[in-house]
Amino acid sequence: MASPVEELIEPVANSSTAQNLGRRRFLKDDHQMGTDEIDGLMLGGEERPFLVVHHLPDLKEAGIPFLMPGVPVSCRVDNTEKIYTTRAKVRVGTLYTISLTHGHFTWTVKRKYKHFQELHRDLYKHKMMLHFLPLGRFAKERQQLRAMSAEMPSLHGTERTRRTSSKMKYLEEYLNGLLENAFCRNDHSMLEFLAVGALSFITDLGPKGLEGSIFKRSGGHRIQGLNCIGHHQFCFRWSHRWLVVKDSFLLYMNRDYGIISFVLLFDPEFKVKVGRAYTDTKYGVCIENFTRNLIIKCSSYRQAQWWSREILRLADTSDFLKVHRFQGFAPPREDTLTKWYVNGSGYFADLADALEQAKEEIFITDWWLSPEVFLKRPATDTYWRLDEILKRKAEQGVKVCVLLYKEVELALGINSGHSKRTLMNMHPNIKVMRHPDHVSSVVFLWAHHEKMVAIDQTVAFVGGIDLAFGRWDDSQYRLTDLGPTETPKHLGEEEPRDVTDDNGMAEASKPSEPVQEAEQNSEDLTDNCKLWLGKDYSNFIIKDWTRLDRPFDDNIDRTQVPRMPWRDLSAAIHGRAARDVARHFIQRWNFTKIFKNKYKDRFFPYLLPKSHSTADVLPFTVPHSRKAKVQVLRSADRWSTGICENSILNAYIHTIENSEHYIYIENQFFISCADGKSVHNGIGDAIVKRILRAHSEQKKYRVFVVVPLLPGFEGDITEGGGNAIQAILHFTYRTMCRGEYSILSRLREVKDQWTEYITLCGLRKYTQLSQSLVTELIYVHSKTLIADDRCYIIGSANINDRSMLGSRDSEMAVFVEDEERVPSTMGGEEYQAGPLTLALRKECFRVLVGADSDPSINIDDPISDEFFFLVWNATAELNASIYDKVFNCLPCNHVHNMRELKEHCSKECLRDTDPEQAKEELKAIQGLLVHFPLRFLCEENLLPPLGSKEGMAPVGLWT
C-alpha cells in the first residue's frame, strides 16, 4: 500500500499516547491505491477485490477498465419483443433481449435496434477522433485500435450472414466481434450499452445486478429536516446518476468522479411503484424503504416498467424484505460458527487476534471506547493497545469505521470527543462518527448502547463488553493490582487456571505472540506486571472516571481502594450472522452520514453490505468456535437507525414462556413488570406467568437471577448512595419484591413456596490490601439469558425499558440455539442438552458457587433440589452472613431506613476488632454468590426528591 496522501492542519504528535487535539488532523482521505494493487487489477482475474469499493476514484484516475482484462465477454441475443404505441397499438419496433457472460457473472440487457445504431456511430466517432487528434492522452486507445482489423464489424452483417441468419443472429455476431477488441469493449458507449460499471464484478457484492443511467430527484427522505420545505415540483432538483441494484441494496453514484452518492438498503418497507400518481413525473419510478422515497426518471414507459420489474426480481431473493421471527430484521442462520465468552480476558484476546486478520474493513460501535485500552495483558509494550492495532491496520490499507455514542457531557464523563480525536488523528483510513446531535435530533435521554465489532463483514463480536477501561477481567476477579510489590496470591483468590471443558470451550485463548515488537511508548512497559494501568484500575461507585485525556494517570489510589471487578459476557459469530451484524452497522453509519451535515463530505464514505451469497467463505475463524443456529436481534428506532424494531424483548419473552426447566438471567439491570405507566416491558410478567404455570402443573421449574448489588453510579452508600443509586434501587425492588406489580407480590398463589422457584442474587469478593481486609461487590454488567441448557441470548440489552422497548436506547444481541445434542441430566433424569449452552451454564455456575475449590460440588443438574437448595441458595445465604459479620457490608437486609443505616455504619465490624478471627470466618466463603438483600431500605421512599435534578428528570430516564 502506498504511503497516504495527507493534508495536515497540525503537526504529527511525537507520542502515540492520546493527545488533546482540538481539530481534525487529516482533511483528505487516503484514496491512493498501491502500484502493486493497480497492476493486479490491470492484469485481470475472475473477479474484483471488495476493497475496490473504497477506491473508486483511484480506478478512474488509473484508467482501470470496468471489464476485467483478459476475461472474455460473450453475448447471446436470445429473445425479441414487439413494441407498440400505448394507445393505438401500432407496432413501432423490436426490443432485443441480450444475455451476457463475463467470467462467472451473467446478466441481461434489453435494447432496441436504434441502440445498436447509436453504439456503432459512437464507436466510429471515437475511432476517427483518435486518428485526427494524436494527443498523448489517447496513446493507450490508439494502441488498442491498432490491434483491431482495418474495418469495424458491419452492423448489417455480411451478405452471407444476411442470407443464412436472422437479424438476431447477425446482431449477436456484431456484438461479439466488437467485444473481441479492447478498444471497442472498453469504450464508454459500449459500457453504457452493456450496463457495466465499476461495481459490476465484485463477487462479495453478489450477482452483477441491474445498472444504468437515470435521472434522480432530490429529497424524499423520511428524516425530519432533510427535505425541502415545499412540496411543489419546482422545489425538486434532477441529477444525472448511475444506478446500481444488487441483491440486498441499491445505490446511485456520480460516474464521472467515481463517488457513491446514496445507498438504499432493502427492508420490509421496500416497495417499487411506477407512474405519475406515485412520482409526479412522466416515466417515473418510486423506490421506497423505511428512510426514503427515491424518485427516478426513465426515458420511456417501457424502460420504467423494465426497471421496476428487474429491481423487484433482484430484491425478491433478499432476506431483508420480510419481518422474521421475533419481528426481527434477520432470520435465524443455521450452521453458524459461534463462541461465547465469560469475562473480558478471553474476549479481548480473541478480538485482538481477529483484528490482526483484517484485510478490508473494521467496523466498531460502542457506548464508550477507550483508545488506550490494552487487549492482551499484562502489557509489556503497546503492540496490543487498541489504538495501535487500529493504526497498524489502517496503515495496511484497512478501512476502520467507528460509531460512538455522543453523550450529554453534563450527565456523562465518557468523553467521546477525546476518543474520536485520538483515533482520527492517527491515520486518514480511520473514520469516527458520533451520534446523535442532541438538539437537532431532539434526543437527550436515549443512547447508542450496542457493543459490536465486525471484521471484513465475515467475523463479528457482539455482547456487553465495551472496548473501554475497567472492562477487562477474568474468573479471579482481582480486587488489587499493585504490581511487583504485590504478593503472588491474595487471601480469598484462587490460582489462575486455564478453563477448558469437555465441549472444547475455552475461557481465554492464548494465541502466539507476534515476533514484531511495537515502538515503546513514553511510559516504559518492559517490566510491567500490572493488569490494569492508569484509568483502567477503577471503582466507579467510589469515584467515576475523570480526565480521560490523561489515560495513564490513576483515577483512584490503588494502595487504599480496591478495584471493582467487572463480570460480562460476549459472543463471536461468523458467516451469514456476521453479515447481519455488519449490515446493522452499515445501516447506522449511512443513516448518520445522511443526518449530520459534517459527515456529508467524501472523507466519510457510504458503506456497502456484502452479499450473503459469499458469506460461507471464511478467510479465518475464531479458535474453538462451534456450530449452532444464530439469529441477530436488535432494539432500534427512527432516531437511532431509521427503522423500528424490538426483537430482543420479543426473544426474551418467547424464551421465558417456552422454557421447560429453568432460566438463568445475568443482567446489569432488573427493571420490569409492566404497569402501563412507569414500566412497560413484560419480561417480569412472563417470569411470573411461567412460575405460576409450573406451580399449577406441579412441575419443577427454577429461575436464577444475578444482578449487581448496587447500581453503577458514583455515590457513598453509607449515606444512602445518592439520588441516582436510590432511583435505580427503587425500580429494581419494585420489580423484585415491593409493590403490587412486583414478582414476589404476584406470586401470592404460591405463598412462601416462591423460594422453590426463584432465587435473586448478587456477587461479592474479598482480599487483603495494604495489610487490611477489604471487600467489594462484583459489578455484573452481563446481559444474558440461558434456558434449558439448549439456548441462550447474549447482547448489550439490559432488562429495562430503555434497552427493550426499541424506541429508546439502540441495542444488539444474538439468540443462539444448539443444533447438536450431548447427554446430560435435568431434574434427576437423562437429558439431551446443547453442547454450547451446557458449557456456558456450567462455566457460569462453576465460578459462582466455587466448584473449582470443592470437587464435591456437582453442577450437572441445575434444577435438582440438592443443587438448588443445598448448593446455590445455601452458598448465597452463608456467604452473605459471613460478609455481614466480617465487614458490615452494604446493602444488607437488616438496614430498613436511614436511621438504621447511620447506626449500622457506626458499628465496628469483626475486620476491625479481631482481624485474625475475621480471616478464619472468611475461609468458609465459597465462590462469589450472595443473596440480594430484599429488605434494604424497605421503609424509605427511594424515588429522587422532586426538587432535585434527578427528581425533575422523566421517569423513563431510570426505567
Side-chain angles (χ1 to χ4, degrees):
M1 183 59 115
S3 60
V5 177
E6 305 171 3
E7 184 174 324
L8 299 179
I9 58 178
E10 52 181 293
V12 179
N14 292 325
S15 171
S16 59
T17 304
Q19 304 292 317
N20 187 15
L21 303 173
R23 293 183 297 167
R24 199 167 92 197
R25 178 180 165 202
F26 297 104
L27 288 178
K28 290 184 178 180
D29 195 5
D30 175 14
H31 264 311
Q32 291 191 339
M33 296 184 73
T35 304
D36 292 342
E37 292 171 304
I38 292 175
D39 290 344
L41 294 174
M42 283 295 201
L43 292 174
E46 287 294 316
E47 62 186 32
R48 290 275 160 83
F50 181 78
L51 201 56
V52 161
V53 305
H54 293 290
H55 295 282
L56 297 180
D58 288 350
L59 298 187
K60 188 167 185 64
E61 184 178 339
I64 306 293
F66 292 163
L67 292 168
M68 295 175 287
V71 180
V73 183
S74 61
C75 75
R76 189 176 70 254
V77 181
D78 47 22
N79 195 16
T80 60
E81 299 175 37
K82 305 303 181 184
I83 304 177
Y84 299 90
T85 60
T86 306
R87 295 181 180 177
K89 301 297 182 183
V90 176
R91 178 183 169 188
V92 294
T94 303
L95 192 67
Y96 296 92
T97 301
I98 306 168
S99 299
L100 295 138
T101 303
H102 184 46
H104 63 83
F105 294 92
T106 60
W107 72 103
T108 299
V109 297
K110 294 199 174 189
R111 297 291 182 260
K112 298 177 184 177
Y113 184 69
K114 74 171 186 177
H115 296 136
F116 286 87
Q117 293 174 311
E118 291 168 356
L119 172 64
H120 188 83
R121 183 185 65 237
D122 291 343
L123 289 172
Y124 187 79
K125 283 181 179 179
H126 192 183
K127 178 182 176 183
M128 292 300 102
M129 184 175 65
L130 294 181
H131 281 304
F132 294 111
L133 294 175
L135 301 177
R137 63 191 179 99
F138 294 135
K140 183 178 178 181
E141 286 88 341
R142 278 196 295 275
Q143 183 180 358
Q144 295 172 342
L145 196 59
R146 293 189 198 103
M148 186 176 173
S149 59
E151 295 294 332
M152 286 176 54
S154 170
L155 178 58
H156 302 292
T158 63
E159 182 180 350
R160 182 168 178 266
T161 302
R162 288 197 300 271
R163 287 199 310 267
T164 60
S165 304
S166 65
K167 194 172 184 179
M168 288 171 51
K169 186 65 175 177
Y170 72 71
L171 288 177
E172 179 180 305
E173 291 183 358
Y174 167 75
L175 267 183
N176 282 319
L178 292 177
L179 291 170
E180 289 176 358
N181 179 263
F183 164 74
C184 292
R185 84 179 211 158
N186 292 322
D187 187 83
H188 177 78
S189 56
M190 175 62 81
L191 298 174
E192 287 266 3
F193 183 90
L194 300 178
V196 167
L199 300 174
S200 297
F201 307 115
I202 300 173
T203 300
D204 274 331
L205 290 181
K208 157 73 172 60
L210 179 66
E211 297 181 62
S213 183
I214 52 96
F215 283 90
K216 70 93 186 174
R217 193 168 75 185
S218 61
H221 295 279
R222 296 182 177 181
I223 304 170
Q224 187 176 3
L226 292 187
N227 296 312
C228 179
I229 296 174
H231 295 282
H232 193 271
Q233 60 182 343
F234 293 114
C235 295
F236 299 131
R237 184 181 70 256
W238 291 95
S239 304
H240 185 249
R241 293 290 181 263
W242 184 260
L243 187 68
V244 179
V245 185
K246 293 293 186 177
D247 60 3
S248 72
F249 70 94
L250 61 82
L251 63 85
Y252 58 79
M253 61 188 296
N254 186 319
R255 207 178 189 197
D256 294 334
Y257 298 100
I259 300 172
I260 297 173
S261 304
F262 180 75
V263 178
L264 185 147
L265 300 182
F266 298 162
D267 60 35
E269 289 289 304
F270 181 78
K271 299 180 183 68
V272 182
K273 302 174 182 177
V274 181
R276 185 181 292 273
Y278 304 105
T279 64
D280 291 326
T281 186
K282 192 176 182 180
Y283 309 141
V285 178
C286 176
I287 306 167
E288 299 180 2
N289 76 344
F290 261 115
T291 57
R292 188 173 183 185
N293 294 346
L294 174 63
I295 307 295
I296 64 173
K297 182 164 58 178
C298 301
S299 59
S300 66
Y301 171 81
R302 183 167 291 276
Q303 186 189 29
Q305 292 291 335
W306 160 253
W307 274 97
S308 64
R309 284 198 305 268
E310 286 300 293
I311 292 172
L312 289 172
R313 182 184 64 81
L314 284 166
D316 188 55
T317 62
S318 173
D319 289 327
F320 304 104
L321 286 188
K322 60 184 178 181
V323 176
H324 297 278
R325 184 178 62 168
F326 310 132
Q327 301 298 297
F329 79 106
R333 307 291 187 182
E334 296 181 350
D335 295 326
T336 297
L337 283 172
T338 184
K339 177 180 179 179
W340 49 257
Y341 301 91
V342 179
N343 302 315
S345 56
Y347 174 74
F348 277 8
D350 275 2
L351 175 59
D353 290 331
L355 290 171
E356 285 289 288
Q357 297 291 328
K359 298 293 187 293
E360 299 160 349
E361 298 170 326
I362 295 172
F363 300 155
I364 301 174
T365 181
D366 273 329
W367 179 80
W368 179 26
L369 183 145
S370 304
E372 307 84 7
V373 70
F374 286 92
L375 300 189
K376 293 191 180 183
R377 308 184 186 194
T380 55
D381 56 33
T382 61
Y383 190 90
W384 292 115
R385 206 172 75 189
L386 178 61
D387 55 354
E388 293 294 329
I389 295 173
L390 297 182
K391 180 183 178 182
R392 187 160 63 244
K393 300 313 294 184
E395 290 171 343
Q396 295 170 10
V398 175
K399 298 296 181 179
V400 181
C401 298
V402 182
L403 273 172
L404 297 179
Y405 164 56
K406 185 177 181 181
E407 75 282 9
V408 179
E409 294 181 11
L410 293 176
L412 283 172
I414 57 178
N415 201 344
S416 63
H418 162 75
S419 302
K420 178 181 178 180
R421 289 190 298 272
T422 301
L423 292 176
M424 288 191 66
N425 289 333
M426 302 192 82
H427 196 278
N429 276 341
I430 301 178
K431 329 280 185 181
V432 184
M433 291 185 185
R434 295 193 299 161
H435 186 264
D437 276 342
H438 303 285
V439 176
S440 61
S441 63
V442 201
V443 175
F444 296 96
L445 300 179
W446 317 134
H448 288 295
H449 198 239
E450 304 102 312
K451 302 95 168 55
M452 59 136 291
V453 180
I455 298 164
D456 294 340
Q457 300 191 42
T458 299
V459 176
F461 294 81
V462 176
I465 306 177
D466 289 294
L467 302 180
F469 292 145
R471 271 60 175 172
W472 191 97
D473 220 319
D474 58 21
S475 61
Q476 294 183 68
Y477 300 109
R478 299 170 180 85
L479 301 186
T480 61
D481 188 27
L482 297 175
T485 60
E486 194 172 29
T487 56
K489 185 180 179 183
H490 307 290
L491 184 67
E493 294 188 358
E494 300 166 3
E495 294 287 354
R497 82 180 183 95
D498 187 19
V499 180
T500 306
D501 63 22
D502 295 337
N503 294 299
M505 296 300 302
E507 177 185 332
S509 63
K510 298 183 179 179
S512 58
E513 300 292 325
V515 177
Q516 176 185 358
E517 292 189 6
E519 180 181 345
Q520 288 292 307
N521 190 8
S522 56
E523 180 181 347
D524 187 8
L525 299 174
T526 304
D527 298 321
N528 173 59
C529 297
K530 293 179 181 176
L531 295 172
W532 296 273
L533 298 173
K535 296 288 192 297
D536 213 6
Y537 184 95
S538 63
N539 189 320
F540 45 89
I541 293 182
I542 300 296
K543 183 183 179 183
D544 206 351
W545 282 277
T546 59
R547 296 300 306 272
L548 291 171
D549 56 335
R550 301 177 64 88
F552 299 111
D553 292 350
D554 278 2
N555 197 50
I556 54 177
D557 184 354
R558 63 177 71 208
T559 66
Q560 301 297 318
V561 181
R563 67 176 289 271
M564 183 172 290
W566 190 278
R567 181 173 171 85
D568 220 328
L569 282 85
S570 279
I573 55 177
H574 301 70
R576 294 171 183 266
R579 295 265 161 106
D580 295 336
V581 171
R583 186 181 182 88
H584 170 75
F585 179 92
I586 290 168
Q587 190 169 26
R588 268 197 57 199
W589 177 275
N590 291 347
F591 175 80
T592 303
K593 177 176 171 62
I594 295 169
F595 191 85
K596 296 186 69 169
N597 285 323
K598 68 188 295 183
Y599 299 139
K600 289 182 179 179
D601 62 12
R602 288 174 52 186
F603 187 82
F604 296 93
Y606 278 101
L607 300 179
L608 305 182
K610 289 185 177 181
S611 171
H612 282 62
S613 63
T614 61
D616 293 333
V617 179
L618 301 177
F620 71 97
T621 58
V622 175
H624 310 298
S625 297
R626 296 191 64 150
K627 286 187 176 181
K629 183 191 294 184
V630 177
Q631 184 176 5
V632 178
L633 311 169
R634 62 183 179 178
S635 294
D637 193 55
R638 291 196 181 276
W639 79 264
S640 61
T641 314
I643 54 87
C644 302
E645 182 175 330
N646 64 343
S647 55
I648 302 177
L649 173 61
N650 296 334
Y652 262 77
I653 292 175
H654 169 87
T655 304
I656 293 167
E657 290 177 342
N658 290 276
S659 58
E660 292 294 325
H661 304 286
Y662 79 89
I663 57 168
Y664 173 76
I665 290 174
E666 198 174 301
N667 206 284
Q668 181 187 5
F669 290 89
F670 194 52
I671 298 175
S672 187
C673 298
D675 60 7
K677 297 177 183 178
S678 59
V679 180
H680 301 277
N681 80 82
I683 292 175
D685 305 276
I687 292 173
V688 170
K689 291 176 184 177
R690 184 61 189 88
I691 290 175
L692 292 177
R693 192 183 99 197
H695 183 69
S696 65
E697 296 174 353
Q698 294 298 298
K699 290 184 178 180
K700 194 172 291 185
Y701 183 78
R702 315 292 193 193
V703 176
F704 303 85
V705 178
V706 176
V707 294
L709 291 169
L710 285 174
F713 296 94
E714 181 180 333
D716 186 355
I717 190 60
T718 63
E719 298 181 359
N723 291 333
I725 287 178
Q726 288 188 14
I728 298 299
L729 283 176
H730 167 82
F731 286 105
T732 302
Y733 283 124
R734 178 202 165 279
T735 303
M736 292 180 175
C737 57
R738 298 179 192 173
E740 60 179 315
Y741 294 101
S742 70
I743 291 174
L744 298 192
S745 295
R746 293 168 63 189
L747 292 178
R748 301 185 197 92
E749 184 179 323
V750 303
K751 297 181 182 178
D752 294 336
Q753 292 179 292
W754 66 265
T755 55
E756 296 184 10
Y757 297 100
I758 185 169
T759 175
L760 304 163
C761 295
L763 306 178
R764 184 173 284 281
K765 189 75 186 289
Y766 74 93
T767 192
Q768 188 164 314
L769 175 62
S770 300
Q771 308 306 312
S772 297
L773 290 172
V774 293
T775 184
E776 188 54 86
L777 64 89
I778 295 172
Y779 193 67
V780 177
H781 191 260
S782 320
K783 297 93 170 54
T784 300
L785 170 66
I786 306 174
D788 294 343
D789 284 355
R790 289 182 177 176
C791 66
Y792 58 88
I793 299 172
I794 292 177
S796 67
N798 296 312
I799 296 181
N800 58 16
D801 283 356
R802 291 186 63 112
S803 290
M804 290 294 176
L805 295 187
S807 58
R808 301 185 181 183
D809 292 357
S810 59
E811 307 283 3
M812 174 158 281
V814 289
F815 181 40
V816 180
E817 300 170 274
D818 274 298
E819 296 177 296
E820 302 174 14
R821 292 290 181 263
V822 294
S824 183
T825 307
M826 188 73 70
E829 298 180 358
E830 292 183 358
Y831 183 73
Q832 293 296 305
L836 273 167
T837 312
L838 177 65
L840 173 59
R841 195 264 302 164
K842 283 188 173 182
E843 172 60 19
C844 292
F845 282 19
R846 175 189 67 80
V847 176
L848 300 193
V849 301
D852 279 346
S853 57
D854 186 352
S856 67
I857 297 177
N858 188 332
I859 60 174
D860 291 342
D861 189 341
I863 69 170
S864 68
D865 289 345
E866 181 181 358
F867 176 79
F868 189 71
F869 295 114
L870 302 182
V871 176
W872 185 275
N873 279 313
T875 298
E877 183 177 359
L878 175 63
N879 288 348
S881 65
I882 294 173
Y883 279 121
D884 285 345
K885 182 177 182 179
V886 174
F887 296 103
N888 284 357
C889 288
L890 290 173
C892 63
N893 270 325
H894 49 269
V895 172
H896 300 161
N897 53 52
M898 298 305 292
R899 179 184 57 80
E900 292 179 357
L901 175 64
K902 187 176 182 179
E903 294 174 356
H904 176 85
C905 294
S906 65
K907 293 179 181 178
E908 288 188 323
C909 59
L910 187 62
R911 172 191 60 182
D912 301 322
T913 59
D914 191 344
E916 292 304 316
Q917 180 59 32
K919 289 181 182 180
E920 287 299 315
E921 295 281 350
L922 289 170
K923 289 180 180 179
I925 291 288
Q926 190 80 33
L928 309 171
L929 276 180
V930 292
H931 272 144
F932 196 89
L934 300 180
R935 301 284 296 165
F936 180 63
L937 295 180
C938 60
E939 297 175 4
E940 296 287 339
N941 179 9
L942 298 179
L943 282 174
L946 292 177
S948 66
K949 63 179 182 180
E950 293 87 357
M952 290 186 285
V955 173
L957 178 68
W958 311 110
T959 63

